[in-house]
Amino acid sequence: MRTQVAIIGAGPAGLLLSHLLHLQGISSVVLDTRSRADIDATIRAGVLEQGTMDVLSAAGVGDRMRKEGALHHGFELAFGGKRHRIDLLGLTGKSITVYPQHEVLKDLIAARLAAQGQILFEVSDVALHEVSSTTPYVTFTHGGEASRIDADFIAGCDGYHGVSRPSMPDQAKRQDYQKIYPFGWFGILVESAPSSEELIYAQHDRGFALVSTRSPTVQRLYFQCDPKDNVDNWSDDRIWAELHGRLENHDGWKLKEGKIFQKNIIGMRSFVSAPMQAGRLFLAGDAAHIVPPTGAKGLNLAVSDVKVLAQGLEQFYRSGSETLLQGYGEQALKRIWRAECFSWTMTRLLHTFADHTPFEREMQRAELENIVNSPALATALAENYVGAF
Ligand code: RFL
Ligand code: PHB
Protein backbone atom coordinates (compact mmCIF):
# COMPACT_ATOMS: atom_id res chain seq x y z
CA MET A 1 0.00 0.00 0.00
CA ARG A 2 1.19 3.54 -0.71
CA THR A 3 -0.14 6.85 0.55
CA GLN A 4 1.15 10.38 1.01
CA VAL A 5 0.71 10.58 4.79
CA ALA A 6 0.49 7.50 7.04
CA ILE A 7 -1.40 8.45 10.20
CA ILE A 8 -0.99 6.37 13.36
CA GLY A 9 -4.07 6.69 15.61
CA ALA A 10 -7.77 7.34 14.92
CA GLY A 11 -8.37 9.72 17.83
CA PRO A 12 -9.35 13.35 17.32
CA ALA A 13 -5.84 14.29 16.12
CA GLY A 14 -5.44 11.49 13.54
CA LEU A 15 -8.96 11.59 12.13
CA LEU A 16 -9.11 15.37 11.85
CA LEU A 17 -5.66 15.47 10.22
CA SER A 18 -6.77 12.86 7.69
CA HIS A 19 -9.89 14.88 6.91
CA LEU A 20 -8.06 18.23 6.61
CA LEU A 21 -5.55 16.62 4.24
CA HIS A 22 -8.34 15.08 2.18
CA LEU A 23 -9.88 18.55 1.76
CA GLN A 24 -6.54 19.65 0.24
CA GLY A 25 -6.38 16.63 -2.08
CA ILE A 26 -3.68 14.88 0.00
CA SER A 27 -4.10 11.12 0.57
CA SER A 28 -3.68 9.40 3.91
CA VAL A 29 -4.34 6.07 5.61
CA VAL A 30 -5.25 5.98 9.32
CA LEU A 31 -4.34 2.97 11.50
CA ASP A 32 -5.73 2.20 14.94
CA THR A 33 -5.30 -0.71 17.30
CA ARG A 34 -8.86 -0.34 18.60
CA SER A 35 -12.17 -1.34 16.99
CA ARG A 36 -14.55 1.29 15.63
CA ALA A 37 -17.11 0.39 18.34
CA ASP A 38 -14.48 0.90 21.06
CA ILE A 39 -13.45 4.29 19.66
CA ASP A 40 -17.10 5.39 19.36
CA ALA A 41 -17.74 4.46 23.00
CA THR A 42 -14.73 6.02 24.77
CA ILE A 43 -15.94 8.73 27.12
CA ARG A 44 -13.44 11.57 27.42
CA ALA A 45 -13.48 15.28 26.86
CA GLY A 46 -16.46 17.57 26.75
CA VAL A 47 -15.38 21.18 26.32
CA LEU A 48 -14.67 22.63 22.86
CA GLU A 49 -13.18 26.08 22.45
CA GLN A 50 -14.59 28.45 19.82
CA GLY A 51 -11.40 27.95 17.77
CA THR A 52 -11.94 24.16 17.80
CA MET A 53 -15.53 24.62 16.68
CA ASP A 54 -14.36 26.91 13.89
CA VAL A 55 -11.87 24.30 12.62
CA LEU A 56 -14.50 21.52 12.73
CA SER A 57 -17.12 23.71 11.03
CA ALA A 58 -14.72 24.86 8.31
CA ALA A 59 -13.84 21.19 7.68
CA GLY A 60 -17.55 20.40 7.16
CA VAL A 61 -17.91 18.23 10.28
CA GLY A 62 -19.61 20.77 12.54
CA ASP A 63 -23.32 20.36 11.71
CA ARG A 64 -24.29 18.00 14.53
CA MET A 65 -21.97 19.78 16.97
CA ARG A 66 -23.73 23.10 16.30
CA LYS A 67 -27.17 21.45 16.56
CA GLU A 68 -26.64 19.15 19.54
CA GLY A 69 -23.76 20.78 21.40
CA ALA A 70 -24.65 23.11 24.27
CA LEU A 71 -23.24 26.63 24.09
CA HIS A 72 -22.02 27.76 27.54
CA HIS A 73 -21.44 31.48 28.10
CA GLY A 74 -19.89 31.06 31.54
CA PHE A 75 -18.93 28.65 34.31
CA GLU A 76 -18.95 28.79 38.08
CA LEU A 77 -16.16 28.67 40.61
CA ALA A 78 -17.42 27.35 43.98
CA PHE A 79 -15.40 27.81 47.16
CA GLY A 80 -15.79 29.03 50.71
CA GLY A 81 -19.51 28.24 50.75
CA LYS A 82 -20.36 30.38 47.70
CA ARG A 83 -20.58 30.10 43.93
CA HIS A 84 -19.08 32.80 41.70
CA ARG A 85 -19.85 33.09 37.99
CA ILE A 86 -17.09 33.60 35.45
CA ASP A 87 -18.88 35.36 32.59
CA LEU A 88 -16.89 34.00 29.64
CA LEU A 89 -18.90 35.80 26.98
CA GLY A 90 -19.02 39.11 28.83
CA LEU A 91 -15.31 39.06 29.66
CA THR A 92 -13.94 37.74 26.36
CA GLY A 93 -16.70 37.92 23.72
CA LYS A 94 -16.36 34.12 23.37
CA SER A 95 -18.15 31.04 24.65
CA ILE A 96 -17.40 27.30 24.75
CA THR A 97 -19.47 24.36 23.56
CA VAL A 98 -20.05 21.19 25.53
CA TYR A 99 -20.12 18.39 22.96
CA PRO A 100 -18.65 14.99 23.87
CA GLN A 101 -15.40 13.86 22.29
CA HIS A 102 -16.91 10.54 21.15
CA GLU A 103 -19.53 12.48 19.20
CA VAL A 104 -16.72 14.47 17.51
CA LEU A 105 -15.10 11.13 16.65
CA LYS A 106 -18.35 9.71 15.24
CA ASP A 107 -18.72 12.79 13.03
CA LEU A 108 -15.11 12.54 11.82
CA ILE A 109 -15.31 8.80 11.13
CA ALA A 110 -18.56 9.28 9.19
CA ALA A 111 -16.98 12.07 7.13
CA ARG A 112 -13.85 10.04 6.37
CA LEU A 113 -15.81 6.96 5.34
CA ALA A 114 -18.27 9.03 3.22
CA ALA A 115 -15.24 10.39 1.32
CA GLN A 116 -13.86 6.84 0.84
CA GLY A 117 -11.13 7.64 3.35
CA GLN A 118 -9.14 4.65 4.56
CA ILE A 119 -9.22 3.87 8.27
CA LEU A 120 -7.89 0.47 9.31
CA PHE A 121 -9.25 -0.50 12.74
CA GLU A 122 -7.97 -3.33 14.97
CA VAL A 123 -4.42 -3.39 13.60
CA SER A 124 -1.57 -4.76 15.73
CA ASP A 125 2.26 -4.87 15.77
CA VAL A 126 2.47 -1.31 14.42
CA ALA A 127 6.12 -0.34 13.76
CA LEU A 128 7.61 2.78 12.15
CA HIS A 129 10.65 2.49 9.86
CA GLU A 130 13.24 4.80 8.26
CA VAL A 131 11.55 7.93 9.56
CA SER A 132 14.74 9.96 8.98
CA SER A 133 14.65 9.19 5.26
CA THR A 134 12.28 10.58 2.61
CA THR A 135 10.82 7.09 2.20
CA PRO A 136 9.45 6.14 5.63
CA TYR A 137 7.10 3.20 6.01
CA VAL A 138 4.87 1.53 8.58
CA THR A 139 4.44 -2.21 9.13
CA PHE A 140 1.53 -3.80 10.97
CA THR A 141 -0.79 -6.78 11.12
CA HIS A 142 -4.35 -6.40 9.88
CA GLY A 143 -6.91 -9.20 9.63
CA GLY A 144 -4.17 -11.71 10.47
CA GLU A 145 -1.95 -10.56 7.58
CA ALA A 146 1.36 -8.73 7.72
CA SER A 147 0.99 -5.39 5.88
CA ARG A 148 3.09 -2.38 4.94
CA ILE A 149 2.31 1.23 4.02
CA ASP A 150 4.91 3.34 2.23
CA ALA A 151 4.45 7.09 2.68
CA ASP A 152 6.11 10.49 2.25
CA PHE A 153 5.38 11.40 5.88
CA ILE A 154 4.22 9.71 9.08
CA ALA A 155 1.98 11.52 11.58
CA GLY A 156 2.18 10.06 15.10
CA CYS A 157 -1.31 10.72 16.51
CA ASP A 158 -1.46 7.63 18.71
CA GLY A 159 -1.83 9.21 22.14
CA TYR A 160 0.34 9.05 25.22
CA HIS A 161 0.83 5.24 25.15
CA GLY A 162 1.42 4.96 21.40
CA VAL A 163 4.46 3.74 19.45
CA SER A 164 5.24 6.97 17.60
CA ARG A 165 7.01 8.92 20.35
CA PRO A 166 9.34 6.01 21.21
CA SER A 167 10.06 5.70 17.44
CA MET A 168 11.45 9.23 17.20
CA PRO A 169 15.13 9.08 16.25
CA ASP A 170 17.82 10.46 18.58
CA GLN A 171 16.02 9.37 21.77
CA ALA A 172 19.05 10.48 23.76
CA LYS A 173 18.54 14.09 22.65
CA ARG A 174 14.83 14.17 23.50
CA GLN A 175 13.64 16.26 26.38
CA ASP A 176 10.62 15.09 28.34
CA TYR A 177 9.04 17.55 30.77
CA GLN A 178 6.76 15.90 33.28
CA LYS A 179 4.78 16.51 36.44
CA ILE A 180 2.69 13.75 38.01
CA TYR A 181 0.00 14.87 40.45
CA PRO A 182 -0.62 13.03 43.73
CA PHE A 183 -4.34 12.72 42.96
CA GLY A 184 -6.70 11.51 40.25
CA TRP A 185 -10.29 12.13 39.20
CA PHE A 186 -13.14 9.76 39.92
CA GLY A 187 -15.56 10.23 37.01
CA ILE A 188 -19.17 9.09 36.79
CA LEU A 189 -21.85 9.19 34.12
CA VAL A 190 -25.36 9.63 35.46
CA GLU A 191 -28.84 9.40 33.97
CA SER A 192 -30.48 12.61 35.12
CA ALA A 193 -31.39 16.12 34.08
CA PRO A 194 -28.58 18.70 34.54
CA SER A 195 -28.17 20.10 38.06
CA SER A 196 -26.77 23.34 36.72
CA GLU A 197 -26.95 25.26 33.44
CA GLU A 198 -23.20 25.83 33.55
CA LEU A 199 -20.16 23.80 34.63
CA ILE A 200 -19.22 24.12 38.30
CA TYR A 201 -15.56 23.82 39.35
CA ALA A 202 -15.53 23.44 43.14
CA GLN A 203 -12.65 23.80 45.58
CA HIS A 204 -13.38 22.16 48.95
CA ASP A 205 -11.34 20.97 51.91
CA ARG A 206 -12.41 17.40 51.05
CA GLY A 207 -11.06 17.89 47.51
CA PHE A 208 -11.98 19.21 44.07
CA ALA A 209 -15.30 18.39 42.37
CA LEU A 210 -16.66 19.20 38.91
CA VAL A 211 -20.22 19.25 37.58
CA SER A 212 -20.30 18.82 33.82
CA THR A 213 -22.82 17.50 31.36
CA ARG A 214 -23.06 15.32 28.28
CA SER A 215 -26.66 15.90 27.17
CA PRO A 216 -30.03 16.94 28.63
CA THR A 217 -30.38 13.38 30.01
CA VAL A 218 -26.77 12.37 30.82
CA GLN A 219 -24.52 14.18 33.31
CA ARG A 220 -20.76 13.92 33.88
CA LEU A 221 -19.45 14.45 37.41
CA TYR A 222 -15.93 14.17 38.79
CA PHE A 223 -14.31 14.37 42.20
CA GLN A 224 -10.68 14.35 43.26
CA CYS A 225 -9.57 10.95 44.58
CA ASP A 226 -6.50 8.85 45.30
CA PRO A 227 -5.21 7.79 41.86
CA LYS A 228 -4.56 4.28 43.23
CA ASP A 229 -8.10 3.91 44.59
CA ASN A 230 -10.42 1.33 43.01
CA VAL A 231 -13.93 2.06 41.73
CA ASP A 232 -15.14 -1.05 43.59
CA ASN A 233 -14.45 0.77 46.87
CA TRP A 234 -17.10 3.33 45.96
CA SER A 235 -20.77 2.38 46.34
CA ASP A 236 -23.27 4.73 44.70
CA ASP A 237 -24.29 6.02 48.15
CA ARG A 238 -20.70 6.81 49.06
CA ILE A 239 -20.17 8.66 45.76
CA TRP A 240 -23.30 10.79 46.24
CA ALA A 241 -22.40 11.61 49.84
CA GLU A 242 -18.96 12.81 48.71
CA LEU A 243 -20.34 14.90 45.86
CA HIS A 244 -23.08 16.48 47.98
CA GLY A 245 -20.50 17.30 50.65
CA ARG A 246 -18.08 18.97 48.24
CA LEU A 247 -20.58 20.78 46.02
CA GLU A 248 -23.48 21.97 48.10
CA ASN A 249 -23.10 25.36 49.70
CA HIS A 250 -25.28 27.58 51.83
CA ASP A 251 -27.33 28.87 48.89
CA GLY A 252 -29.89 26.07 48.64
CA TRP A 253 -28.54 24.66 45.35
CA LYS A 254 -28.91 20.87 45.21
CA LEU A 255 -27.11 18.28 43.12
CA LYS A 256 -29.57 16.03 41.28
CA GLU A 257 -28.97 12.31 41.73
CA GLY A 258 -29.67 9.64 39.11
CA LYS A 259 -28.62 6.18 38.00
CA ILE A 260 -24.83 5.93 37.83
CA PHE A 261 -23.99 3.86 34.75
CA GLN A 262 -20.23 4.32 34.47
CA LYS A 263 -17.43 4.86 36.99
CA ASN A 264 -13.75 5.35 36.25
CA ILE A 265 -10.59 6.77 37.82
CA ILE A 266 -8.06 8.73 35.80
CA GLY A 267 -4.54 9.74 36.79
CA MET A 268 -3.37 13.28 36.25
CA ARG A 269 -0.14 14.44 34.67
CA SER A 270 1.40 17.34 32.82
CA PHE A 271 3.78 16.18 30.09
CA VAL A 272 5.55 17.63 27.05
CA SER A 273 7.99 15.78 24.82
CA ALA A 274 10.18 17.83 22.49
CA PRO A 275 10.97 18.10 19.68
CA MET A 276 7.64 17.19 18.05
CA GLN A 277 9.25 16.33 14.72
CA ALA A 278 12.26 14.51 13.38
CA GLY A 279 12.91 13.74 9.73
CA ARG A 280 9.60 12.72 8.23
CA LEU A 281 7.85 11.85 11.54
CA PHE A 282 5.58 14.44 13.19
CA LEU A 283 3.87 13.99 16.57
CA ALA A 284 0.48 15.59 17.30
CA GLY A 285 -1.98 15.60 20.21
CA ASP A 286 -1.55 13.43 23.30
CA ALA A 287 1.36 11.60 21.61
CA ALA A 288 3.43 14.71 22.31
CA HIS A 289 1.79 16.30 25.35
CA ILE A 290 -0.68 15.71 28.17
CA VAL A 291 -2.47 18.26 30.34
CA PRO A 292 -4.47 17.55 33.50
CA PRO A 293 -8.16 17.85 32.51
CA THR A 294 -8.90 20.76 34.90
CA GLY A 295 -8.33 23.29 32.09
CA ALA A 296 -10.27 21.24 29.48
CA LYS A 297 -7.48 21.74 26.93
CA GLY A 298 -6.34 18.28 25.68
CA LEU A 299 -8.70 17.83 22.76
CA ASN A 300 -8.42 21.50 21.85
CA LEU A 301 -4.63 21.20 21.68
CA ALA A 302 -4.89 18.09 19.48
CA VAL A 303 -7.05 20.11 17.08
CA SER A 304 -4.71 23.11 17.02
CA ASP A 305 -1.66 20.85 16.45
CA VAL A 306 -3.14 19.15 13.40
CA LYS A 307 -4.40 22.44 11.97
CA VAL A 308 -0.79 23.69 11.91
CA LEU A 309 0.55 20.35 10.64
CA ALA A 310 -2.03 20.19 7.83
CA GLN A 311 -1.02 23.70 6.71
CA GLY A 312 2.63 22.60 6.53
CA LEU A 313 1.82 19.48 4.54
CA GLU A 314 -0.46 21.46 2.21
CA GLN A 315 2.35 23.94 1.51
CA PHE A 316 4.77 21.08 0.80
CA TYR A 317 2.49 19.34 -1.69
CA ARG A 318 1.47 22.62 -3.35
CA SER A 319 4.88 24.22 -3.70
CA GLY A 320 7.56 21.79 -2.56
CA SER A 321 8.51 24.21 0.23
CA GLU A 322 9.16 22.76 3.69
CA THR A 323 9.19 26.12 5.49
CA LEU A 324 5.92 25.66 7.39
CA LEU A 325 6.61 21.97 8.07
CA GLN A 326 10.03 22.76 9.55
CA GLY A 327 8.42 25.33 11.86
CA TYR A 328 5.57 23.01 12.91
CA GLY A 329 6.90 21.89 16.29
CA GLU A 330 8.07 25.33 17.34
CA GLN A 331 4.76 26.93 16.45
CA ALA A 332 2.67 24.19 18.09
CA LEU A 333 4.79 24.24 21.27
CA LYS A 334 4.11 27.93 21.90
CA ARG A 335 0.42 27.23 22.33
CA ILE A 336 1.05 23.93 24.12
CA TRP A 337 3.19 25.55 26.82
CA ARG A 338 0.57 28.23 27.44
CA ALA A 339 -2.12 25.55 27.78
CA GLU A 340 0.19 23.55 30.08
CA CYS A 341 0.56 26.65 32.23
CA PHE A 342 -3.19 27.27 32.40
CA SER A 343 -4.02 23.60 33.12
CA TRP A 344 -1.44 23.54 35.89
CA THR A 345 -2.78 26.82 37.31
CA MET A 346 -6.38 25.54 37.39
CA THR A 347 -5.24 22.26 38.94
CA ARG A 348 -3.17 24.00 41.60
CA LEU A 349 -5.98 26.46 42.42
CA LEU A 350 -8.75 23.91 42.80
CA HIS A 351 -7.32 20.68 44.26
CA THR A 352 -6.51 19.77 47.82
CA PHE A 353 -2.84 18.91 48.32
CA ALA A 354 -2.19 16.54 51.23
CA ASP A 355 1.21 18.17 51.92
CA HIS A 356 -0.08 21.76 52.01
CA THR A 357 0.59 23.70 55.20
CA PRO A 358 -2.22 25.83 56.69
CA PHE A 359 -0.41 28.84 55.20
CA GLU A 360 -0.48 27.33 51.70
CA ARG A 361 -4.18 26.50 52.06
CA GLU A 362 -4.92 30.14 52.89
CA MET A 363 -2.86 31.28 49.89
CA GLN A 364 -4.95 29.04 47.62
CA ARG A 365 -8.20 30.48 49.00
CA ALA A 366 -6.87 34.05 48.69
CA GLU A 367 -5.91 33.44 45.07
CA LEU A 368 -9.46 32.31 44.30
CA GLU A 369 -10.86 35.37 46.10
CA ASN A 370 -8.56 37.59 44.06
CA ILE A 371 -9.87 36.10 40.82
CA VAL A 372 -13.55 36.52 41.60
CA ASN A 373 -13.03 40.05 42.96
CA SER A 374 -10.80 41.40 40.21
CA PRO A 375 -12.24 41.84 36.69
CA ALA A 376 -8.64 41.86 35.40
CA LEU A 377 -7.81 38.46 36.93
CA ALA A 378 -11.21 36.99 36.01
CA THR A 379 -10.68 38.16 32.42
CA ALA A 380 -7.26 36.52 32.27
CA LEU A 381 -8.77 33.24 33.51
CA ALA A 382 -11.68 33.49 31.06
CA GLU A 383 -9.34 34.28 28.13
CA ASN A 384 -7.31 31.19 28.88
CA TYR A 385 -10.39 29.01 29.31
CA VAL A 386 -12.00 29.99 25.99
CA GLY A 387 -8.62 30.01 24.20
CA ALA A 388 -9.03 33.68 23.25
CA PHE A 389 -5.44 34.27 22.18
P1 RFL B 1 -6.23 9.85 21.68
O1 RFL B 1 -7.65 10.32 21.79
O2 RFL B 1 -5.62 9.15 22.82
O3 RFL B 1 -6.19 8.91 20.40
C1 RFL B 1 -5.07 8.11 20.10
C2 RFL B 1 -5.51 6.93 19.26
O4 RFL B 1 -4.35 6.16 18.92
C3 RFL B 1 -4.64 4.79 19.07
N1 RFL B 1 -3.38 4.05 19.26
C4 RFL B 1 -2.74 3.40 18.27
N2 RFL B 1 -3.03 3.25 16.98
C5 RFL B 1 -2.16 2.52 16.23
N3 RFL B 1 -1.04 1.94 16.73
C6 RFL B 1 -0.72 2.07 18.02
N4 RFL B 1 0.40 1.50 18.49
C7 RFL B 1 -1.57 2.84 18.87
N5 RFL B 1 -1.55 3.16 20.17
C8 RFL B 1 -2.65 3.91 20.39
C9 RFL B 1 -5.59 4.73 20.24
O5 RFL B 1 -6.36 3.53 20.19
C10 RFL B 1 -6.43 5.99 20.03
O6 RFL B 1 -7.61 5.72 19.27
O7 RFL B 1 -5.25 11.05 21.31
P2 RFL B 1 -5.47 12.41 20.48
O8 RFL B 1 -6.09 12.12 19.14
O9 RFL B 1 -4.20 13.13 20.56
O10 RFL B 1 -6.60 13.22 21.30
C11 RFL B 1 -6.34 13.71 22.58
C12 RFL B 1 -7.64 13.77 23.41
O11 RFL B 1 -8.24 12.50 23.37
C13 RFL B 1 -7.37 14.18 24.88
O12 RFL B 1 -6.41 15.20 24.93
C14 RFL B 1 -8.65 14.69 25.58
O13 RFL B 1 -9.57 13.64 25.78
C15 RFL B 1 -8.31 15.30 26.93
N6 RFL B 1 -9.50 15.72 27.70
C16 RFL B 1 -10.14 16.91 27.44
N7 RFL B 1 -9.72 17.70 26.45
C17 RFL B 1 -10.42 18.85 26.15
O14 RFL B 1 -10.01 19.57 25.23
N8 RFL B 1 -11.56 19.23 26.83
C18 RFL B 1 -12.04 18.48 27.85
O15 RFL B 1 -13.10 18.80 28.42
C19 RFL B 1 -11.31 17.29 28.21
N9 RFL B 1 -11.76 16.50 29.21
C20 RFL B 1 -9.97 14.88 28.72
C21 RFL B 1 -11.11 15.31 29.47
C22 RFL B 1 -9.36 13.67 29.00
C23 RFL B 1 -9.86 12.88 30.02
N10 RFL B 1 -9.21 11.66 30.27
C24 RFL B 1 -9.88 10.43 30.16
C25 RFL B 1 -7.78 11.67 30.32
C26 RFL B 1 -11.63 14.52 30.48
C27 RFL B 1 -10.98 13.31 30.77
C28 RFL B 1 -11.55 12.50 31.90
C1 PHB C 1 -15.99 16.85 30.91
O1 PHB C 1 -17.17 17.19 30.68
O2 PHB C 1 -15.59 15.68 30.78
C2 PHB C 1 -15.03 17.88 31.36
C3 PHB C 1 -15.41 19.21 31.42
C4 PHB C 1 -14.50 20.16 31.87
C5 PHB C 1 -13.23 19.78 32.24
C6 PHB C 1 -12.83 18.46 32.15
C7 PHB C 1 -13.75 17.50 31.72
O3 PHB C 1 -12.35 20.72 32.67
Side-chain angles (χ1 to χ4, degrees), residues 49-368:
E49 295 173 357
Q50 182 64 50
T52 297
M53 292 178 64
D54 293 346
V55 174
L56 295 173
S57 291
V61 287
D63 288 355
R64 220 160 56 86
M65 169 190 73
R66 283 193 306 275
K67 230 179 281 154
E68 294 174 24
L71 207 56
H72 286 221
H73 301 310
F75 68 83
E76 297 201 12
L77 282 178
F79 61 92
K82 286 207 191 91
R83 291 189 293 152
H84 308 262
R85 182 161 191 264
I86 302 291
D87 178 4
L88 297 173
L89 184 62
L91 293 167
T92 69
K94 293 190 179 188
S95 303
I96 53 108
T97 292
V98 177
Y99 185 63
Q101 176 166 328
H102 61 275
E103 300 296 344
V104 174
L105 290 176
K106 279 188 205 162
D107 297 342
L108 283 167
I109 291 174
R112 290 311 303 122
L113 296 181
Q116 270 79 52
Q118 265 190 295
I119 311 172
L120 305 181
F121 297 105
E122 295 181 75
V123 302
S124 53
D125 311 320
V126 177
L128 284 56
H129 307 271
E130 297 188 25
V131 298
S132 300
S133 78
T134 53
T135 52
Y137 62 97
V138 182
T139 55
F140 55 98
T141 305
H142 186 233
E145 275 181 35
S147 307
R148 166 174 170 155
I149 299 178
D150 290 276
D152 300 329
F153 298 95
I154 300 178
C157 302
D158 48 353
Y160 181 71
H161 299 287
V163 290
S164 299
R165 193 176 62 253
S167 306
M168 294 286 272
D170 289 334
Q171 286 292 331
K173 289 195 205 141
R174 296 195 64 68
Q175 174 79 50
D176 285 353
Y177 306 83
Q178 170 148 267
K179 179 170 179 64
I180 296 177
Y181 298 88
F183 40 73
W185 279 13
F186 197 113
I188 58 170
L189 282 169
V190 184
E191 278 171 20
S192 81
S195 296
S196 163
E197 275 177 22
E198 297 184 331
L199 270 58
I200 303 173
Y201 289 82
Q203 185 268 343
H204 191 276
D205 290 346
R206 295 187 64 84
F208 170 74
L210 171 60
V211 178
S212 182
T213 182
R214 284 290 175 270
S215 74
T217 54
V218 174
Q219 310 314 316
R220 181 71 160 147
L221 305 169
Y222 298 99
F223 59 93
Q224 175 182 349
C225 67
D226 178 343
K228 293 192 223 64
D229 207 338
N230 189 316
V231 290
D232 297 334
N233 294 331
W234 287 82
S235 67
D236 292 5
D237 286 348
R238 186 173 173 215
I239 291 172
W240 288 120
E242 198 60 48
L243 283 166
H244 285 299
R246 295 187 192 189
L247 285 160
E248 283 165 12
N249 290 322
H250 320 309
D251 59 4
W253 177 84
K254 283 264 173 286
L255 177 68
K256 285 196 180 80
E257 293 191 13
K259 182 171 171 241
I260 299 176
F261 64 94
Q262 202 197 80
K263 304 177 186 177
N264 66 341
I265 291 177
I266 59 160
M268 309 253 290
R269 73 174 76 226
S270 298
F271 173 79
V272 177
S273 185
M276 287 171 67
Q277 63 195 83
R280 289 287 178 103
L281 173 58
F282 295 80
L283 301 181
D286 280 12
H289 44 78
I290 296 286
V291 283
T294 332
K297 289 286 171 235
L299 169 59
N300 294 295
L301 282 180
V303 168
S304 59
D305 283 359
V306 298
K307 183 181 165 201
V308 178
L309 182 54
Q311 285 166 346
L313 290 165
E314 192 270 328
Q315 184 194 49
F316 174 83
Y317 283 109
R318 185 172 34 81
S319 68
S321 163
E322 292 196 29
T323 316
L324 287 182
L325 265 183
Q326 290 310 330
Y328 160 70
E330 206 180 318
Q331 190 181 338
L333 278 167
K334 278 191 195 145
R335 186 177 139 99
I336 290 161
W337 276 118
R338 293 210 322 257
E340 290 285 348
C341 178
F342 176 65
S343 306
W344 172 74
T345 302
M346 286 285 277
T347 303
R348 182 174 60 72
L349 267 176
L350 292 165
H351 290 77
T352 299
F353 290 78
D355 62 349
H356 265 184
T357 60
F359 176 81
E360 286 167 315
R361 280 199 289 276
E362 289 306 323
M363 290 299 97
Q364 186 185 37
R365 181 69 59 83
E367 222 175 320
L368 284 165

